[in-house]
DNA sequence: AATGAATGAGGATTCATTCAT
DNA sequence: CATGAATGAATCCTCATTCAT
């Protein structure tokens, strides 16, 4: 059960290769063969040896990127106090990821698009937990009167979608300035959550 | 070159079957074999006979759903006058689709997620044309002072993403009331575009 | 059994299309679909309707080209008298075909290469008959002392192979002058058949 | 990159099976399924596993037979000195191959007939190099006065075609004595190249 | 006489996975 | 721990042919 050092290293190497392949060639092309080639491995058997199956590998890919994203976003949000400042930080940090981990984000989106359908997925859990936390944060800001009255769940969903859409464009279109777009998007939602004056 | 009645009917039948399979089992499972079974055809050869290739079939699927969507959305938007009313109508009509064509929308998202990577795709064109039109409409409303000053392109991208996210939830989670969510989302963006007072 | 005018015309049209496809794209690409397209027909069913099978069509192709070849070669050989003159005329007429019917010859070679393996083929008969006639002509010239003593069968085979090789080059390499090559080849075999002095 | 012992053995086994199938059933019947069956393999996947594609396999087939042919012909030609003796040795060794490697030669002819159309083929190169070398050898003999004056290129082409034709007959018709035919053919061309006296 | 729709077998190839070494 | 060989199901697609109209 416990993993040796080599084992962990190998898994990391394969996960990294998988991310690169998915990001540059798309999920559909991410076969064991292609990933093994990217990782400089001589056979696909290696991958099967280290992972219980393709699902296991993809789960690791998603987990890795989520970990990176969390490490980037969480401190930036927590550095702020107050709903508006936190919302702005959340959006800017999210979009800012495009500049730091473009490949990883591309890979994440690809994989979630496909695994998202599997309702048995263990990410459904993670994702809904995350969402609930965000919903509660929004509701707290509504109670203090910092945010207006609206369906917090819809807001969170909308932000998630809007951020992903901008992220997707930022990652694919180098002409777009992620920082500027992040600021625009943050202001957009800042206006959207203001209480009626 | 001209298409027969039977030919058109068969193509429609196959497209319909493809939509059902993609919606219920996911893009990855949408093999010719699976689609043929769904359509009640005895062999996959039939599909190859009627479509130039898998790309041809998927293009038809996308085209069909876009046609349905356009038929639903366009009159609802054009019935309104003024930027705010039109924006609201656009968002509500988009989310309202979830109630009318849930399967078709699921299929559309699946396919676009995969075909979207192909930069040679003819949908890149359609999509960017559509986006440009929407950007121009927003800019027109900004010039009349109806909307505030912000990056129109970011707004359009954000709306697209937010709508898709809500749509996706609406389609998968029957507990969500699409009409209520549509209203919420419309008001959200209505606040977001208002000029500073 | 008797063929109508239309029937004959259609068959001719299809045979012509088949020759063009085989010559330009090779035997392997000469499917009913490709031939129907070349002939401007809307369905492959037409070909099956007019020919008993692919063998039937190919037989017609070979027959047609052999007919054309015969019409060209025979009078040119028969215009000469004496073994040497006839041999020269035979070789020159054969190679000369490259200038008159290049496509047809290419198609013929392609088809015979494939059908040649079928030992049941009706061309085995035609070909061996033709060969026997040529062998007898050579032997006659040997008896008059015009040709030297050697195995007539080997000579005929060698000429056939040499002519085909030169023909093949002439048809594929436009830089080669077929007439000059024909003369060279004729003189080559003229020297080869001379009796020892 | 480097090949294992097993790998090499398997490839050899598959190439051998391919040669047998092509020789006995013709190129058209040489599907992966048929070859796998001949090699005693349980699935066609094995062939794809060991060869990059059908072209790769066929290239190996051609290469193998050319190698065998070269090993047989070259020492026999080089053992002779002088143009006439070498020409005779070349022709006799070529035809003599029919007795040693009948299957391999059949397979070679089949494959080259089909691959010969691909002008991008790497055999075009090998073949034209070989031909140029032969042309130069003939021209050298012409300069010493050993051979008469004629187009060396036509001679080489003619010999190639004549040898192939005799070879083809020798391989298919067991009644023909290859050695006798070889001698006859050698003498034929010996007379053809003699200088005018 | 002709058409176009349908068939189903067979084509090469890729896939994730297993297993003996 | 790692390897590479093997597997066989599944992929899309093309083929010649048949049949009702």
């Amino acid at each position: 059960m416990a993993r040796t050092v080599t084992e962990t290293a190998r898994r990391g190497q394969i996960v990294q290769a998988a991310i690169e392949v998915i990001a540059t060639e798309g999920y559909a092309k991410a076969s064991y063969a292609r990933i093994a080639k990217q990782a400089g491995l001589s056979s696909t058997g290696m991958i099967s040896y280290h992972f219980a199956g393709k699902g296991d590998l993809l789960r690791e890919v998603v987990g890795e990127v989520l970990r990176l994203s969390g490490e980037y976003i969480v401190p930036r949000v927590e550095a702020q106090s107050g709903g508006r400042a936190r919302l702005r930080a959340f959006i800017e940090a999210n979009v800012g990821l495009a500049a730091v981990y473009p490949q990883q984000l591309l890979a994440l989106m690809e994989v979630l698009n496909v695994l998202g359908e599997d309702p048995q997925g263990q990410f459904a859990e993670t994702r809904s937990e995350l969402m609930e936390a965000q919903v509660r944060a929004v509701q707290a800001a509504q109670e203090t009167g910092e945010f207006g009255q609206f369906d917090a769940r819809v807001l969170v969903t909308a932000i998630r979608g809007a951020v992903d859409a901008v992220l997707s464009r930022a990652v694919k279109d180098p002409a777009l300035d992620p920082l500027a777009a992040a600021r625009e998007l943050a202001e957009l939602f800042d206006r959207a959550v203001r209480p009626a004056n």
Side-chain angles (χ1 to χ4, degrees), chain A:
Chain A
M1 193 104 294
R3 271 191 196 119
T4 69
V5 187
T6 356
E7 167 76 2
T8 307
R10 269 269 181 271
R11 280 176 71 98
Q13 174 195 5
I14 294 171
V15 165
Q16 194 51 40
I19 288 175
E20 290 163 12
V21 171
I22 297 171
T24 57
E25 320 223 11
Y27 177 85
K29 299 279 182 61
S31 66
Y32 273 21
R34 188 68 195 73
I35 294 170
K37 192 178 150 199
Q38 181 77 15
L41 302 174
S42 61
S43 105
T44 67
M46 274 259 46
I47 303 179
S48 283
Y49 179 72
H50 286 286
F51 293 87
K54 197 159 195 185
D56 190 21
L57 171 54
L58 293 178
R59 238 172 288 128
E60 200 93 328
V61 165
V62 172
E64 167 71 5
V65 183
L66 287 185
R67 197 181 54 75
L68 288 175
S69 302
E71 282 177 5
Y72 185 89
I73 295 171
V74 169
R76 280 170 175 74
V77 171
E78 293 187 342
Q80 307 296 324
S81 59
R84 289 184 58 187
R86 287 193 159 213
L87 174 61
R88 166 179 293 271
F90 176 76
I91 292 174
E92 292 191 348
N94 260 285
V95 179
L97 278 170
V100 195
Y101 304 119
Q103 271 199 331
Q104 285 84 344
L105 284 175
L106 268 174
L108 180 67
M109 291 175 185
E110 293 273 322
V111 174
L112 286 186
N113 274 333
V114 177
L115 291 199
E117 295 128 27
D118 272 327
Q120 100 266 13
Q122 35 280 82
F123 293 114
E125 197 185 350
T126 303
R127 275 205 280 185
S128 71
E129 277 175 19
L130 191 57
M131 193 184 179
E132 289 311 317
Q134 293 170 349
V135 167
R136 281 193 302 273
V138 169
Q139 287 168 338
Q142 288 180 314
E143 280 165 21
T144 67
E146 199 177 359
F147 288 0
Q149 293 305 316
F150 47 78
D151 184 326
R153 202 167 299 273
V154 168
L155 176 73
V156 168
T157 305
I159 291 179
R160 183 73 265 148
V163 162
D164 282 351
V166 172
L167 214 41
S168 175
R169 272 193 57 210
V171 150
K172 287 168 188 166
D173 176 8
L176 186 84
D177 175 5
L179 271 61
R183 244 185 337 263
E184 279 283 340
L185 195 62
E187 273 159 31
L188 193 80
F189 279 105
D190 187 49
R191 291 192 297 275
V193 298
R194 277 178 310 181
N197 55 337

